[in-house]
Amino acid sequence: MATDPAATRPAPTRRQALGTLGVAAWSACLPTAAATAQQVRSDTLQVLTAWQTGGRAYAGVWTPQSIRWAIALPNRAHQLLPLSARYTGAVREALVVARRPGEYLARVDTRNGRLLHLHTVEVDRYLGGHAVKSPDGRFIFTTESDGDTGQGLIAQRHAGSLETIREFPSGGIGPHALMWEPGGQLIVANGGILTLPETGRRKRNLPQMASNLTRLDSTSGSIVAQFALDDPYLSLRHLALAPDGTLAVALQAEHSDPALRQAAPALALLHSDGLHALAWPADGAALQGWQGYAGDVCWAGDTFWVSATHAGQVMGWSTAGEWRGMLPLAGAGALMPVGNGADGFMAGGSREALSAPTSTSATGSGSAHRLYRLARGWDNHGTLLSI
């Protein structure tokens, strides 16, 4: 009996679909959401971020007046990183990093949302959701995982082609956020959680998870130092650096007991004497609905701000670990400094975005923060642009 080869051929994987689609074909099928306000003043607030609607994932530029542009993505994005035009062409660009375990990177023109390059990552490599530029802008460093061994990796990629030049161990499992330290070394938050595309977002190794901060020599790829908390079920996720060199780490609790998750700390600080989680203020009780989940962290106005997504609050601690208060924001997630933190910060929620000046401190302080209505809640992260 004759068979139809097409009927027996296995369905393509996400990676195969991305690899065969190609940039031109992908671009042709994108429902580009042209800006409703084509001319935007250079001093208008503009946020590069991602969101979901109608079952599709998008990235674009939001302004208080409109969505300036939007582009459809193969899958959800996590970080959006502005790139230097010096090494990537004459236009202003940004790198879109797929959410873990991710399989694509994309370069887009931040002026109009044109897709410049869609890159499928190498076989058996899966993105951890974050990237940083090299100081000279020529390279991109991405957090990744080896699909065979689960080992965390840092890949050095060409900023234009996005091809991998070399890779070296991240120092743990599930590397997520990474950043440059003032001394020129890389520091990475190894979240300790293994996820792979064949099992989606299922966490495969929670009984053995071991999260850490690893300081790396980016030239040799060697481990310089490692730091860990006493509680192995606290996943180190996102990073922020204060001008005095204090590093903050936003935490996500993975305890199976809901009571332990609720009691878990939100933030840890790295000082010269090591990495230490901060206690909750006053009576030591976490805020209602906290559930052990910090969405993001940034530094602004001598304060580390942490988004408590489930509790609907943005919480502040000083660089010395002192409680600074909180501001309500439903679904609080993405945080971004304004003017490198000197002019305050912005936060994205499920229904509103919040803009807070450097004077913002405790709840009820009377600070002149401002709220903007959102048609769609922002995804995990955002970056302020000056276009």
Side-chain angles (χ1 to χ4, degrees):
M1 180 178 65
T3 60
D4 179 359
T8 59
R9 188 179 302 125
T13 64
R14 290 192 305 168
R15 185 185 297 275
Q16 290 169 335
L18 282 171
T20 58
L21 193 55
V23 175
W26 178 257
S27 300
C29 71
L30 293 180
T32 302
T36 56
Q38 295 295 330
Q39 301 300 321
V40 180
R41 291 173 51 193
S42 61
D43 60 349
T44 297
L45 187 65
Q46 300 181 81
V47 177
L48 177 66
T49 189
W51 62 89
Q52 299 174 83
T53 184
R56 296 293 301 272
Y58 294 86
V61 170
W62 171 93
T63 77
Q65 294 79 26
S66 66
I67 298 297
R68 190 170 189 263
W69 57 259
I71 186 170
L73 300 170
N75 302 106
R76 279 181 67 178
H78 193 74
Q79 184 189 14
L80 296 99
L81 177 70
L83 299 178
S84 169
R86 179 181 176 190
Y87 291 101
T88 57
V91 300
R92 294 179 181 268
E93 300 180 13
L95 180 74
V96 181
V97 185
R99 186 179 72 152
R100 68 180 179 92
E103 297 175 88
Y104 76 88
L105 296 164
R107 285 182 22 241
V108 297
D109 185 329
T110 58
R111 299 172 303 178
N112 53 28
R114 184 168 61 94
L115 180 65
L116 303 172
H117 180 44
L118 180 70
H119 179 79
T120 306
V121 298
E122 293 73 13
V123 175
D124 290 329
R125 294 295 182 265
Y126 302 99
L127 295 164
H130 282 269
V132 292
K133 299 176 291 187
S134 63
D136 62 7
R138 297 174 59 193
F139 305 107
I140 301 294
F141 291 81
T142 52
T143 51
E144 306 189 14
S145 293
D146 184 315
D148 288 332
T149 67
Q151 171 65 51
L153 299 168
I154 305 298
Q156 181 179 350
R157 296 175 175 274
H158 187 277
S161 69
L162 301 179
E163 296 288 344
T164 296
I165 299 168
R166 66 180 179 123
E167 58 185 25
F168 48 92
S170 70
I173 299 295
H176 195 59
L178 75 171
M179 66 168 34
W180 294 104
E181 292 189 293
Q185 295 170 322
L186 274 174
I187 193 157
V188 56
N190 289 296
I193 301 169
L194 178 63
T195 57
L196 294 174
E198 58 263 33
T199 49
R201 298 281 287 175
R202 184 168 69 84
K203 300 163 184 177
R204 300 165 61 103
N205 68 326
L206 289 185
Q208 297 82 34
M209 70 173 284
S211 188
N212 70 54
L213 274 182
T214 298
R215 181 174 289 137
L216 296 162
D217 183 316
S218 63
T219 301
S220 66
S222 60
I223 294 175
V224 177
Q226 290 189 301
F227 311 91
L229 297 172
D230 293 335
D231 187 342
Y233 292 105
L234 293 176
S235 181
L236 282 64
R237 308 295 294 159
H238 294 118
L239 306 172
L241 188 67
D244 68 358
T246 302
L247 184 77
V249 189
L251 307 174
Q252 293 180 7
E254 298 294 342
H255 307 85
S256 58
D257 184 343
L260 292 178
R261 288 200 305 274
Q262 174 61 23
L267 192 70
L269 299 182
L270 180 65
H271 288 115
S272 58
D273 62 343
L275 181 67
H276 304 285
L278 301 183
W280 290 101
D283 59 2
L287 36 149
Q288 185 176 0
W290 153 241
Q291 297 181 35
Y293 188 89
D296 201 0
V297 61
C298 77
W299 180 89
D302 197 32
T303 300
F304 286 117
W305 295 97
V306 181
S307 53
T309 306
H310 301 308
Q313 299 284 343
V314 181
M315 310 171 294
W317 281 270
S318 74
T319 54
E322 301 161 336
W323 176 251
R324 288 283 176 84
M326 57 189 177
L327 291 169
L329 182 66
L335 295 173
M336 62 213 80
V338 180
N340 293 323
D343 299 322
F345 70 95
M346 282 200 70
S350 55
R351 300 187 299 271
E352 294 175 310
L354 180 149
S355 176
T358 52
S359 58
T360 298
S361 57
T363 303
S365 65
S367 297
H369 60 275
R370 182 173 179 181
L371 293 172
Y372 301 90
R373 177 67 60 181
L374 298 178
R376 301 172 187 87
W378 299 344
D379 221 320
N380 302 87
H381 300 290
T383 300
L384 284 168
L385 292 180
S386 176
I387 300 177

